[in-house]
Amino acid sequence: DYQVDFRDFYGRVLAHLYTADGTYVNGVLAEEGFACVYETFACFHKPILLSLQEEAIEGNEGLWESCGELVCF
């Protein structure tokens, strides 16, 4: 599921990933603290992803525990 702006500044593909059973991989990564939500790109799921990311930050999950304060673009 490609977004309107499907590549970032570094040429990496930005996509929504789902497993065969329908699990939203992007959401799992954000929820577990292993993803930073790009706030500069248009995304239908952005409010959900930002909410999951905020919960991960508040709970010191994943990278948020190890790295403390990270800057997401």
Side-chain angles (χ1 to χ4, degrees), residues 3 7-10 12 14 36-43 46 50 53 72-73:
Q3 303 173 51
R7 292 198 181 264
D8 69 4
F9 177 78
Y10 301 102
R12 297 175 293 197
L14 304 176
C36 243
V37 180
Y38 275 135
E39 296 192 40
T40 56
F41 289 91
C43 172
K46 190 186 301 184
L50 287 171
Q53 176 179 282
C72 294
F73 299 95

Side-chain angles (χ1 to χ4, degrees), residues 32-69:
E32 294 182 359
F34 295 110
C36 243
V37 180
Y38 275 135
E39 296 192 40
T40 56
F41 289 91
C43 172
F44 175 78
H45 299 293
K46 190 186 301 184
I48 296 165
L49 293 171
L50 287 171
S51 175
L52 292 170
Q53 176 179 282
E54 186 60 34
E55 289 175 19
I57 292 169
E58 290 173 3
N60 290 317
E61 300 291 336
L63 297 172
W64 304 108
E65 176 184 23
S66 305
C67 300
E69 202 170 310

Side-chain angles (χ1 to χ4, degrees), residues 10-37:
Y10 301 102
R12 297 175 293 197
V13 174
L14 304 176
H16 298 283
L17 302 174
Y18 298 87
T19 62
D21 69 358
T23 301
Y24 184 40
V25 175
N26 306 59
V28 172
L29 291 172
E31 182 177 39
E32 294 182 359
F34 295 110
C36 243
V37 180

